[in-house]
Amino acid sequence: MITKIFKRLTIRAIITGFFLTFSANFFVLFCRASGNLFNQIFIESFIFSLNILLIIILAAISEARRFNLKFGATHLISFPLCILLFAQGHFVNPQKLIIAFSLLFAANILSKEINKINPVKDFFALGFIFTSLSYINFNLSLFFFSIFLVIIYIPFKQKALISILLGIVAALSILITISHAITGNIFYTQPEILGSHIFTPFKDNNSEFVWISIVIIALIASLLMKQKKLQKRSLFDLGNSGNFMSIWLVISIIFRVFDLYEDESKWLLSYIPTAFFIGNIFETLTKERYREILFYSLLFVGVMYNISLI
């Protein structure tokens, strides 16, 4: 039983998770290239799989808040499954990976307990991160909403607000200077290297029904898990990265509904939080039989979905 491998974060689980991720990426590229083995299919699958593995590790660390062998294993199985189910709207480039990793670093900060949050360093970092993202795409400033929800529950509100402001000023100063030096323009212009393709789905006119269904399931799961934790936690508790992931998921839905991306992306922001909550569903299933049923059900849907694109 494959899900048994992912009960704990072991070397075996990591190797198996990477193999599943590589296989999923390879299969998706193969199907979306109309069943052709194009020249870069192996290298694209390998490079993107390495990045997905790093994303899984960062997402799992933000969930556990400390390193142990019991966290993250379920995400090694949910992220590959979501690759198969994902509605590929456009190519993946270094800029999109930078956005993803930046949001994951923010998730790690926001997963701290209230008594461990540093009102100066942590909020400066959050202000810097979200300002940098907003400089790339102003619509990403929606993530500032998560900071102000956190400030409500900390005692040092004035220090936090000043730190956020300093982070904003620092980020703008650095980014405007770099942009002007490279392009001669104070506004962001994507450098050629950040726009190069890492992962290219050739068909982007596929149906979004499957992925919308998965996003809805993830959203419901996040709400149900939140309701369970409300008995012991405040409405927005820093010690739970699921709060930020929930906001991230909602923002991704807003981006799709109002088409806030600056390219042809559709659901790109939704991949990480959706895979995160699907992984949490695996974690909540105590019986191995149910985990197997969920795994093979999602695998079957994902495989059939991609085969239909050939």
Side-chain angles (χ1 to χ4, degrees):
M1 293 186 178
I2 190 169
T3 57
K4 190 176 182 179
I5 300 174
F6 299 97
K7 282 187 175 181
R8 294 170 63 87
L9 190 65
T10 61
I11 298 298
R12 184 187 179 193
I14 293 174
I15 293 174
T16 306
F18 179 80
F19 174 77
L20 290 175
T21 303
F22 178 83
S23 300
N25 284 323
F26 182 87
F27 184 68
V28 167
L29 287 175
F30 176 76
C31 291
R32 292 169 191 270
S34 300
N36 296 318
L37 294 173
F38 60 95
N39 293 335
Q40 297 295 318
I41 188 170
F42 287 99
I43 190 64
E44 285 192 12
S45 300
F46 179 75
I47 292 175
F48 196 58
S49 297
L50 289 176
N51 282 278
I52 291 295
L53 185 62
L54 181 56
I55 286 172
I56 294 171
I57 293 172
L58 291 174
I61 289 175
S62 68
E63 172 72 358
R65 303 189 303 279
R66 61 186 184 277
F67 190 85
N68 60 64
L69 297 178
K70 294 183 179 180
F71 80 86
T74 55
H75 297 103
L76 286 169
I77 198 172
S78 64
F79 275 75
L81 286 172
C82 285
I83 290 173
L84 294 173
L85 299 163
F86 185 53
Q88 304 283 350
H90 209 216
F91 56 83
V92 175
N93 57 30
Q95 177 174 293
K96 294 175 181 179
L97 289 178
I98 290 173
I99 292 174
F101 287 121
S102 297
L103 289 173
L104 285 170
F105 282 122
N108 274 272
I109 295 174
L110 291 169
S111 67
K112 292 182 179 181
E113 300 288 351
I114 291 179
N115 59 351
K116 294 182 179 179
I117 192 76
N118 188 311
V120 178
K121 293 181 180 179
D122 289 333
F123 281 98
F124 176 87
L126 289 172
F128 192 96
I129 290 172
F130 291 148
T131 301
S132 300
L133 296 178
S134 303
Y135 188 73
I136 296 174
N137 181 347
F138 182 74
N139 296 317
L140 290 170
S141 59
L142 287 171
F143 281 99
F144 273 104
F145 180 69
S146 62
I147 299 182
F148 296 115
L149 279 180
V150 170
I151 291 179
I152 297 174
Y153 295 99
I154 63 172
F156 306 104
K157 294 179 176 59
Q158 186 175 358
K159 286 185 178 180
L161 289 171
I162 294 174
S163 298
I164 292 171
L165 181 60
L166 291 175
I168 293 173
V169 173
L172 286 176
S173 300
I174 294 172
L175 293 171
I176 289 175
T177 301
I178 294 175
S179 179
H180 185 266
I182 296 175
T183 66
N185 193 343
I186 64 172
F187 298 105
Y188 178 73
T189 302
Q190 186 184 71
E192 184 177 350
I193 189 173
L194 294 183
S196 57
H197 298 189
I198 296 177
F199 188 85
T200 308
F202 288 87
K203 292 184 178 180
D204 59 359
N205 58 346
N206 50 291
S207 172
E208 299 176 41
F209 175 76
V210 172
W211 186 246
I212 290 174
S213 302
I214 299 300
V215 169
I216 292 174
I217 292 172
L219 184 62
I220 294 173
S222 70
L223 294 174
L224 292 177
M225 293 174 186
K226 182 64 184 175
Q227 185 178 17
K228 183 178 179 180
K229 291 177 180 179
L230 276 175
Q231 300 174 359
K232 298 180 180 180
R233 298 174 182 266
S234 57
L235 182 60
F236 195 94
D237 185 10
L238 290 176
N240 177 19
S241 63
N243 288 297
F244 180 71
M245 288 292 182
S246 297
I247 294 175
W248 186 342
L249 184 59
V250 171
I251 290 176
S252 73
I253 296 173
I254 294 173
F255 262 68
R256 180 64 188 105
V257 172
F258 296 99
D259 194 22
L260 299 182
Y261 294 99
E262 294 187 343
D263 55 20
E264 298 178 12
S265 298
K266 297 177 181 178
W267 288 100
L268 193 64
L269 276 176
S270 67
Y271 171 72
I272 293 176
T274 299
F276 177 85
F277 286 116
I278 296 298
N280 286 356
I281 293 176
F282 275 100
E283 186 69 30
T284 58
L285 296 176
T286 55
K287 293 187 178 181
E288 192 170 329
R289 180 179 63 178
Y290 296 150
R291 291 156 63 98
E292 291 287 317
I293 291 174
L294 177 60
F295 171 77
Y296 284 108
S297 297
L298 294 178
L299 180 63
F300 176 78
V301 173
V303 169
M304 296 306 297
Y305 169 63
N306 282 278
I307 289 177
S308 67
L309 300 175
I310 298 179

